[in-house]
Amino acid sequence: MTADQTDDRDRTRDRDVDAASGSTDEADDCDAFTLADFHEASQRAGRPVLTAAAVARALERSHEDVNGGLEALAERGDLERLSVATDPVVWYPSELEDLTDRERVVVFPKRREIVVDRPDQFTRAQLSQFAHLADGNGDSGYRYVVRPEDVWAAPHDTFEALRRTIRQALGQREERLEEWIESQWDRARQFRLVTHEDGYTVLEATSPEVMGNVARQKLDEEHVHAPISETEDWVREGSEAAIKRILYEAGYPVQDQRDLESGEDLEIDLQVSLRPYQRTWVDRFEEAGEGVFVGPPGSGKTIAAMGAMARVEGETLVLVPSRDLARQWADAIVEHTSLGPAQVGQYHGGQKNVRPVTITTYQIAGMDRHRSLFDDRQWGLVVFDECQHVPSDVYRRSTHLQSRHRLGLSASPIREDDRQTEIFTLVGPPIGTDWQALFDAGFVAEPELEIRYVPWGDDEQQNAYGSAEGRERYRIAAENRGKVPEIRYLLAAHPESTALVFVDYLDQGRDLAAALDVPFLSGETPHHERRRLLESFRRGDRDVLVISRVGDEGIDLPAADLAIVASGLGGSRRQGTQRVGRTMRPVGGALVYVLATRGTREEDFARRQLQHLGRKGVTVRERSVDPDERARGADEGDDTAADDADPGEESSVSE
């Protein structure tokens, strides 16, 4: 979209907003009943055409008030009336006649939800600035939820600028929603951490009331020494992160405005061009000074992080989960920036070099005997790769390292222990682009996902499952020997594909590798052997690898055309995202098959893993495997692809 087109679009949106608002008197008349109220009633009733009585029942309001509101909306042209034989009048939205040809935005202020059919790129870009995409499906629309953290992280200097973005996105004024958003905007500006002229940290509040009723109720002597004034508390050294987390959870994010050291200047030029959405990420990070880049695997978060390094131009510490990732980061920085090998160091079990840009592991950074090396150096930027681990007790010690700029990277900032809010309090607010937008723009290829329900391979395992309990039941189902012929079948159905087969259990991995006559890569595989196997896979010398949990993250797996999940980590949404992400790339298609033993808890675990991706816009199918039908097809010489050869019943994953 050109600048002129954008200006025209803005002017058109502004005219639509003004037209929707009408005069002051008209707005006052309609405050009691809006088009959003009609849509709310329509959704509750399950149909778009309603009588006044049906609207009144759905909204639990008086017939008289509702009828007056319907008349006013009809006068404005938002509703149409139609007389029918069985009732004096029925009402329906004026836009109902051309819904298939135009964008439609429906707002539910009470639930703070926005449902959009056929949104264009402009609308989605505007919505992403203050709302979270909860469900994305190009066929049936998009559901956005406005959460407090979305408002807190909105990239605007004033609420008036944010209000303009809201009205441009919605095409109308929604006073109740705007009032709630403004209240959250104000909450995000009640507290800040600043540096006192004597060098210690002070927690400041905007008023004595908010300091007394919130901060001094939530914090104790572990966090602050003593009050300095009615609106200021002297902060204990090292408790800054805890204070930010506690007040964040209380609904009051703290603005960190301390005078942190930025370290030595380091000139960095990025040698590759950022995609438009990556530039937006970097711009928002530069404005806030902290944040978490959230995007699907393959969206280029590492390259965007190097773009952030180039903006900061300060000495940088990169924290990663493993030595393999440390090496990959070092190679990527040398390849994609103006820095040379002598300026990039690694500090871990393999080598210990602290340089202007240093990559180390979370474990090393959190160990007391190494901490002083990193504490003594003044970093301009600290990067937390795979930052979904930061809330864990082992990893969070690394967040005590202080820097003027903090950046996290994650494809899946979710945790099964519900501590994901700590990611954003310890590192920074989320910055990202919805997955469906990247799929639609062609930046990342959308994989095809299918859950395949496999029968038991033999009675022995099935009987053992029936008598087992707890995690042992899940393990038996995961290691179902009936999955071996299914994996052989899928590999044979896609003979030109490069494939990764994921397992959770080492014994299962070894057995599968032996059955398929392919290598098994696990945590027990020596680092030099890992590199050799992965390089041979990248070159195309090998087309199949069996991989344990070590492949979920911590190593840079080459992209594959086909991923087969033979067993998963009890339905972890994060693990499902990571494994599916191994097939995401800018071009080409990819297939992901998740195998689950039919009639066991593994079915529920598989659905749980993939529903999370379904809500991000990825299409997920289900299929029940019938080995007898497949065998008959093979006897008849049917060598069609798996999607056509398997006659099992197919459906989509339900929400």
Side-chain angles (χ1 to χ4, degrees):
M1 183 179 289
T2 66
D4 290 340
Q5 289 173 323
T6 302
D7 291 341
D8 291 343
R9 177 62 180 274
D10 289 350
R11 287 192 291 272
T12 301
R13 294 246 175 188
D14 289 342
R15 286 197 299 271
D16 291 343
V17 169
D18 293 339
S21 301
S23 66
T24 302
D25 292 340
E26 189 176 25
D28 290 341
D29 291 341
C30 296
D31 276 347
F33 191 85
T34 67
L35 184 59
D37 291 321
F38 184 87
H39 286 309
E40 179 96 22
S42 176
Q43 187 180 64
R44 292 181 182 180
R47 57 184 185 275
V49 180
L50 300 173
T51 64
V55 174
R57 284 195 301 272
L59 299 179
E60 298 180 352
R61 298 170 69 164
S62 73
H63 188 283
E64 181 180 0
D65 289 345
V66 165
N67 201 54
L70 293 171
E71 293 286 353
L73 291 175
E75 289 294 324
R76 279 172 36 186
D78 291 334
L79 291 181
E80 299 289 339
R81 57 167 66 84
L82 177 67
S83 298
V84 294
T86 57
D87 201 281
V89 176
V90 293
W91 306 83
Y92 62 92
S94 301
E95 59 193 25
L96 190 62
E97 297 173 355
D98 61 347
L99 283 182
T100 58
D101 301 320
R102 57 172 287 190
E103 173 183 297
R104 181 174 72 129
V105 180
V106 181
V107 183
F108 301 97
K110 294 179 182 177
R111 300 201 301 267
R112 299 190 291 278
E113 292 186 4
I114 303 163
V115 178
V116 192
D117 289 329
R118 299 182 180 275
D120 60 25
Q121 187 175 359
F122 177 88
T123 299
R124 287 166 64 177
Q126 298 296 86
L127 285 169
S128 69
Q129 296 185 46
F130 64 91
H132 166 71
L133 180 64
D135 293 287
N137 188 311
D139 296 329
S140 58
Y142 301 81
R143 182 173 68 89
Y144 288 84
V145 178
V146 185
R147 306 170 302 180
E149 55 265 36
D150 301 317
V151 179
W152 299 342
H156 294 281
D157 294 327
T158 66
F159 180 72
E160 286 307 313
L162 176 57
R163 192 199 305 272
R164 175 179 171 81
T165 296
I166 296 168
R167 292 179 179 177
Q168 287 177 336
L170 305 184
Q172 58 186 308
R173 286 186 171 92
E174 287 292 343
E175 298 297 339
R176 282 181 291 180
L177 181 61
E178 287 182 14
E179 288 173 3
W180 181 84
I181 291 176
E182 186 171 13
S183 71
Q184 293 301 319
W185 175 272
D186 290 339
R187 273 177 172 255
R189 284 149 184 81
Q190 297 298 312
F191 293 101
R192 65 179 190 146
L193 289 171
V194 298
T195 302
H196 191 271
E197 60 183 10
D198 292 333
Y200 57 85
T201 301
V202 175
L203 175 67
E204 287 186 352
T206 57
S207 69
E209 289 75 20
V210 74
M211 176 61 85
N213 295 332
V214 180
R216 289 174 182 162
Q217 296 294 322
K218 299 290 183 180
L219 306 176
D220 54 33
E221 62 273 7
E222 293 182 15
H223 309 107
V224 293
H225 288 287
I228 300 174
S229 70
E230 289 185 327
T231 59
E232 298 172 305
D233 277 0
W234 178 9
V235 173
R236 287 187 180 275
E237 185 177 358
S239 65
E240 294 87 354
I243 289 173
K244 291 165 69 174
R245 176 180 56 81
I246 291 168
L247 293 181
Y248 188 100
E249 291 172 350
Y252 292 87
V254 178
Q255 294 187 332
D256 195 340
Q257 298 178 359
R258 289 174 290 165
D259 297 330
L260 297 173
E261 297 293 339
S262 59
E264 296 293 330
D265 292 340
L266 180 65
E267 184 175 341
I268 304 174
D269 292 324
L270 192 63
Q271 308 287 4
V272 295
S273 297
L274 295 176
R275 299 168 182 170
Y277 66 87
Q278 291 172 321
R279 286 197 299 271
T280 299
W281 292 357
V282 174
D283 289 343
R284 291 179 64 177
F285 165 77
E286 184 178 29
E287 181 179 348
E290 59 182 14
V292 176
F293 289 167
V294 180
S299 58
K301 294 182 293 296
T302 302
I303 294 294
M306 294 178 202
M309 291 169 58
R311 295 284 183 89
V312 172
E313 289 199 320
E315 297 194 341
T316 300
L317 177 66
V318 181
L319 301 172
V320 296
S322 71
R323 283 188 286 170
D324 287 313
L325 268 184
R327 295 188 186 97
Q328 291 152 21
W329 261 93
D331 292 342
I333 291 171
V334 171
E335 179 181 357
H336 298 301
T337 75
S338 58
L339 298 178
Q343 295 170 289
V344 181
Q346 299 176 54
Y347 194 98
H348 49 68
Q351 51 184 294
K352 292 181 171 60
N353 300 308
V354 178
R355 292 176 180 163
V357 174
T358 300
I359 305 106
T360 188
T361 64
Y362 285 99
Q363 293 89 340
I364 292 289
M367 296 172 68
D368 291 336
R369 66 177 182 271
H370 300 295
R371 280 290 300 278
S372 61
L373 287 170
F374 305 114
D375 281 336
D376 292 344
R377 198 171 189 118
Q378 297 173 350
W379 303 103
L381 171 65
V382 177
V383 178
F384 300 85
D385 196 11
E386 302 289 359
C387 66
Q388 65 272 7
H389 296 295
V390 162
S392 69
D393 294 336
V394 173
Y395 281 41
R396 71 183 298 132
R397 296 187 66 190
S398 63
T399 63
H400 296 164
L401 292 164
Q402 297 302 315
S403 169
R404 177 169 292 183
H405 300 91
R406 300 157 73 84
L407 174 64
L409 309 178
S410 180
S412 49
I414 52 177
R415 293 179 59 87
E416 303 308 315
D417 58 7
D418 294 327
R419 295 171 68 182
Q420 53 263 28
T421 57
E422 294 186 32
I423 299 170
F424 307 125
T425 61
L426 294 168
V427 180
I431 299 171
T433 305
D434 72 70
W435 290 33
Q436 188 65 51
L438 299 182
F439 294 153
D440 293 346
F443 288 120
V444 179
E446 177 184 350
E448 297 179 39
L449 272 67
E450 183 170 285
I451 306 174
R452 298 176 73 86
Y453 301 115
V454 181
W456 287 102
D458 55 57
D459 292 339
E460 178 186 356
Q461 279 190 312
Q462 186 172 10
N463 293 335
Y465 177 85
S467 59
E469 296 181 356
R471 291 291 298 177
E472 184 60 22
R473 285 171 64 88
Y474 175 74
R475 181 187 181 105
I476 294 171
E479 295 183 330
N480 172 16
R481 287 187 283 271
K483 294 179 180 180
V484 177
E486 181 64 19
I487 293 170
R488 284 201 182 101
Y489 168 71
L490 292 173
L491 293 174
H494 304 284
E496 303 300 321
S497 296
T498 54
L500 299 173
V501 182
F502 292 96
V503 298
D504 251 28
Y505 300 103
L506 295 179
D507 289 342
Q508 182 188 25
R510 296 186 191 101
D511 292 344
L512 257 179
L516 302 174
D517 193 23
V518 299
F520 175 42
L521 193 156
S522 72
E524 297 177 350
T525 307
H527 288 281
H528 69 276
E529 179 66 7
R530 286 191 204 177
R531 290 196 296 274
R532 187 185 68 80
L533 290 174
L534 293 174
E535 186 56 36
S536 67
F537 190 88
R538 287 190 183 92
R539 291 196 308 264
D541 297 338
R542 295 186 181 277
D543 54 10
V544 180
L545 286 178
V546 179
I547 300 180
S548 72
R549 291 184 196 173
V550 74
D552 295 345
E553 56 193 32
I555 62 174
D556 183 18
L557 287 181
D561 306 308
L562 176 66
I564 302 173
V565 181
S567 54
L569 187 61
S572 162
R573 295 166 292 169
R574 175 184 54 77
Q575 187 189 48
T577 302
Q578 295 287 353
R579 289 182 170 180
V580 170
R582 297 311 187 179
T583 67
M584 292 185 184
R585 54 195 176 167
V587 295
L591 296 169
V592 180
Y593 294 107
V594 177
L595 307 186
T597 301
R598 187 189 303 158
T600 70
R601 291 183 62 202
E602 214 181 15
E603 286 191 359
D604 297 331
F605 288 147
R607 287 194 181 97
R608 184 171 181 240
Q609 267 194 344
L610 299 184
Q611 277 182 353
H612 167 66
L613 293 171
R615 286 191 287 271
K616 290 182 174 293
V618 178
T619 302
V620 183
R621 299 191 304 269
E622 296 175 278
R623 190 183 294 272
S624 185
V625 173
D626 187 337
D628 294 334
E629 288 287 343
R630 187 193 310 142
R632 285 196 293 272
D635 290 341
E636 296 167 3
D638 184 0
D639 59 355
T640 55
D643 286 343
D644 300 322
D646 188 358
E649 185 174 343
E650 181 179 340
S651 64
S652 295
V653 172
S654 61
E655 287 301 325

